[in-house]
Amino acid sequence: MIDELLQQQHYELPWQMGRCERLTIERLLGSIRPKLAIEIGTYLGGSLQVIAKNSERVISLDMDDSIEGKLGSRFPNVQFVAGRTQETLPKLVSSLNELGQSPEFVLVDGDHSVEGVRDDINSLLKIQPQQDMLMIMHDSFNPYCRAGMIAADWANCPYVHSVEIDFVPGVFFPDSYDTAEAGSMWAGFGCAVLTPAQRTTELKVEQSHRAVFNAVKEVSIYRVPSASRASQLMSYLRSCVRPIKRSLLDG
Ligand SMILES: C[S@@+](CC[C@H](N)C(=O)[O-])C[C@H]1O[C@@H](n2cnc3c(N)ncnc32)[C@H](O)[C@@H]1O
């Protein structure tokens, strides 16, 4: 019923994103209509089916080299690039810069480690934008992906005009669901806007839902024990060890 109200389309390929995210991607792509889009993280083709439908040409990168064999015939306007983006993405960016081409739309949804997300973004920030470029980064509510997004070298790229880590809010999973374990935090879109014109003001990386993120993290599997909790734990452990030590010495 809600899907009908939102006039959401039904997609054939499984798409690893929630309703809010799907709607956002559909509407953004529908208005941008990219000549060129780049996707990092093809997986089963879920997000690709929407990007490809709304773009003239797509370059989709994934470390899984079996993807082109499975999806290639479905997507005539997609060039599949197999390999780890740590190697493939810098090469792609240099060749686009040499050709004087840049994408209007980029989706970052590949390596979900802190370093992986940071390095993918940093490679993309070397693109020389020929026109406005929107970068959407998935899983900004996940503490590792979020840390990677925040650590990226935004300030040193003069073409970046705004960055919002909580463009679309994420989800807390109290129970396990699909690939999400119980107590985990996923989803959410970070968003950055780049233009060919250089920025003249200082850049602020916005986190409009930081308070919500921090509060949820406290009840999640990513909660870091505070110093006082750690010292309580240490004295408890010492109190357990003391009688054992004593009995060993007495014995
Ligand atoms: C979450 S899935 C992408 C989901 C897809 N965008 C969707 O919404 O349906 C992440 C994908 O990134 C790929 N990946 C992970 N680390 C990578 C890396 N270092 N280089 C290239 N691809 C990577 C995985 O093989 C996986 O297919």
Side-chain angles (χ1 to χ4, degrees), residues 122-137:
N122 283 346
S123 298
L124 292 164
L125 292 179
K126 297 209 166 58
I127 292 176
Q128 199 84 47
Q130 305 297 316
Q131 66 289 305
D132 292 357
M133 169 175 149
L134 183 72
M135 194 193 296
I136 293 291
M137 301 158 283

Side-chain angles (χ1 to χ4, degrees), residues 1 4 36-37 104 123 129 146 149 190 193 202 240 250:
M1 178 66 182
E4 283 159 24
L36 174 64
E104 288 91 347
S123 298
R146 190 181 187 90
M149 289 172 200
V193 177
E202 209 180 310
C240 298
D250 289 347

Side-chain angles (χ1 to χ4, degrees), residues 20-234:
C20 199
E21 295 168 332
R22 291 177 183 210
L23 189 65
T24 303
I25 292 243
E26 283 169 356
R27 296 293 153 95
L28 286 172
L29 286 166
S31 72
I32 298 171
R33 293 270 168 192
K35 282 195 164 45
L36 174 64
I38 293 180
E39 175 187 58
I40 299 177
T42 323
Y43 193 43
L44 301 174
S47 43
L48 181 59
Q49 62 199 327
V50 185
I51 300 172
K53 191 174 158 205
N54 288 283
S55 310
E56 252 176 66
R57 183 162 79 96
V58 185
I59 303 174
S60 186
L61 301 93
D62 201 292
M63 63 201 273
D64 181 349
D65 60 11
S66 70
I67 288 178
E68 182 166 10
K70 292 178 200 150
L71 299 178
S73 58
R74 256 179 195 270
F75 296 112
N77 62 338
V78 177
Q79 175 191 345
F80 293 90
V81 177
R84 298 178 73 245
T85 46
Q86 286 81 352
E87 283 101 48
T88 56
L89 190 56
K91 286 184 201 151
L92 172 64
V93 169
S94 327
S95 73
L96 289 176
N97 284 341
E98 273 167 31
L99 292 167
Q101 296 177 359
S102 68
E104 288 91 347
F105 179 87
V106 180
L107 174 66
V108 180
D109 192 17
D111 188 330
H112 283 52
S113 66
V114 178
E115 299 76 19
V117 173
R118 180 200 61 199
D119 294 350
D120 280 349
I121 297 169
N122 283 346
S123 298
L124 292 164
L125 292 179
K126 297 209 166 58
I127 292 176
Q128 199 84 47
Q130 305 297 316
Q131 66 289 305
D132 292 357
M133 169 175 149
L134 183 72
M135 194 193 296
I136 293 291
M137 301 158 283
H138 194 216
D139 289 320
S140 61
F141 203 53
N142 175 267
Y144 301 113
C145 298
R146 190 181 187 90
M149 289 172 200
I150 293 168
D153 205 4
W154 300 106
N156 273 327
C157 175
Y159 308 111
V160 180
H161 290 258
S162 70
V163 183
E164 166 59 274
I165 301 294
D166 297 305
F167 180 58
V168 171
V171 179
F172 173 63
F173 292 90
D175 305 309
S176 60
Y177 174 76
D178 192 16
T179 53
E181 65 178 301
S184 62
M185 298 160 75
W186 291 103
F189 279 158
C191 166
V193 177
L194 286 80
T195 79
Q198 301 206 7
R199 189 177 68 243
T200 52
T201 53
E202 209 180 310
L203 182 72
K204 186 163 186 274
V205 176
E206 306 280 350
Q207 298 181 57
S208 55
H209 290 264
R210 190 192 341 223
V212 177
F213 170 81
N214 287 336
V216 174
K217 195 175 163 205
E218 274 301 297
V219 296
S220 77
I221 53 170
Y222 313 100
R223 173 172 168 261
V224 180
S226 70
S228 63
R229 279 189 225 117
S231 75
Q232 275 170 16
L233 182 66
M234 280 308 288

